[in-house]
């Protein structure tokens, strides 16, 4: 049903379809039935959601991004299923979206993916996410958006040394330092800066010192 949405269906109906997909009856037994529910009910919905994130309707776009963020919140298997749905390029594009209603779930979705293994994190990096993350860090966005961006970056810097180096070379450290100088945002960004310095090798630390000059 959800994988063959007709072009004749009005856009307004898509939000209802997403709600139906995202609100199954919760099973009493956690592990086996939740996995079964994901494989049988939820995973087949991913291609439809992958099309919905290209919608021009902001409400549909917002709902689709939130739905994907919920689906990717969990094990690496769930993250991989979302990656295999081919949504990463569009999600990275949405990091440049001006409306907070779309930007916040897009950030959450990207943040969930980079909580996965190194290969899953690299998939996001390969789609130029680091450059796009400068948008929520440097533009005049509210505190919650900057917090989501810092959380995403902290997950990336918790990965391998090549990915830490990629964060430094993307010139993200400067904006993080700027946030550290703001008392209202110190709590959400200090963890990111700490992760970079504590997990970096000597070479990455040298790059960090250059970036801070």
């Amino acid at each position: 049903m959800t994988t063959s949405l007709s072009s004749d269906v009005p856009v307004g109906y898509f939000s209802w379809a997403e709600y139906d997909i995202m609100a199954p009856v919760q099973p009493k037994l956690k592990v086996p039935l939740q996995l079964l529910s994901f494989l049988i009910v939820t995973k087949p919905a991913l291609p439809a959601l992958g099309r919905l994130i290209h919608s021009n309707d902001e409400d549909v776009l917002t709902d689709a991004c939130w739905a994907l963020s919920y689906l990717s919140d969990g094990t690496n298997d769930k993250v991989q299923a979302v990656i295999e749905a081919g949504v990463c390029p569009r999600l990275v594009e949405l990091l440049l979206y001006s409306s907070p209603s779309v930007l916040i779930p897009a950030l959450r979705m990207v943040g969930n993916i980079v909580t996965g293994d190194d290969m899953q994190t690299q998939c996001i990096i390969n789609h130029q996410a680091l450059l796009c993350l400068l948008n929520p860090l440097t533009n005049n966005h509210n505190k919650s958006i900057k917090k989501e961006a810092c959380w995403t970056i902290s997950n990336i810097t918790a990965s391998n040394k090549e990915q830490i180096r990629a964060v430094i070379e993307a010139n993200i450290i400067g904006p993080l330092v700027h946030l550290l100088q703001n008392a209202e945002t110190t709590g959400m960004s200090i963890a990111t800066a700490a992760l970079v310095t504590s997990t970096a090798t000597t070479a990455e630390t040298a790059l960090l010192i250059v970036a801070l000059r």
Side-chain angles (χ1 to χ4, degrees):
M1 178 183 69
T2 56
T3 56
S4 58
L5 292 176
S6 170
S7 59
D8 296 329
V9 177
V11 170
Y13 286 104
F14 290 166
S15 295
W16 289 103
E18 294 159 20
Y19 178 82
D20 289 339
I21 292 167
M22 293 305 301
V25 176
Q26 293 296 318
K28 293 181 180 179
L29 299 177
K30 291 183 178 180
V31 178
L33 290 183
Q34 281 188 351
L35 178 59
L36 187 63
S37 175
F38 179 78
L39 293 175
I40 296 178
V41 179
T42 309
K43 189 174 180 179
L46 289 174
L49 291 171
R51 292 193 292 273
L52 289 173
I53 59 173
H54 291 273
S55 172
N56 292 323
D57 184 293
E58 189 169 300
D59 290 337
V60 172
L61 187 56
T62 299
D63 289 345
C65 285
W66 276 119
L68 285 168
S69 75
Y70 298 145
L71 294 181
S72 62
D73 185 11
T75 64
N76 288 359
D77 289 339
K78 290 185 177 181
V79 171
Q80 189 60 35
V82 171
I83 290 174
E84 291 174 358
V87 301
C88 290
R90 177 58 174 164
L91 288 173
V92 171
E93 289 178 3
L94 293 176
L95 296 180
L96 302 175
Y97 209 87
S98 59
S99 172
S101 65
V102 173
L103 181 54
I104 290 176
L107 275 167
R108 181 70 59 83
M109 173 64 187
V110 172
N112 285 345
I113 292 176
V114 298
T115 63
D117 59 35
D118 286 354
M119 291 185 64
Q120 292 167 337
T121 298
Q122 191 61 44
C123 179
I124 287 293
I125 294 175
N126 289 345
H127 287 102
Q128 308 302 314
L130 292 176
L131 294 177
C132 294
L133 281 168
L134 286 171
N135 168 50
L137 282 178
T138 59
N139 288 345
N140 190 27
H141 291 297
N142 61 37
K143 180 178 177 180
S144 62
I145 288 177
K146 293 183 185 297
K147 182 176 181 180
E148 289 284 349
C150 288
W151 173 71
T152 298
I153 294 166
S154 72
N155 285 331
I156 296 173
T157 58
S159 301
N160 59 51
K161 63 181 182 180
E162 288 80 13
Q163 291 168 347
I164 296 170
R165 180 185 289 261
V167 170
I168 297 171
E169 293 178 345
N171 297 319
I172 287 177
I173 302 303
L176 287 177
V177 172
H178 178 73
L179 291 178
L180 283 168
Q181 295 170 345
N182 184 336
E184 294 183 356
T185 57
T186 297
M188 66 171 127
S189 56
I190 193 168
T192 305
L195 277 170
V196 173
T197 55
S198 64
T199 61
T201 63
T202 303
E204 280 71 50
T205 302
L207 283 173
L208 179 60
I209 292 171
V210 171
L212 293 174
R213 287 177 179 174

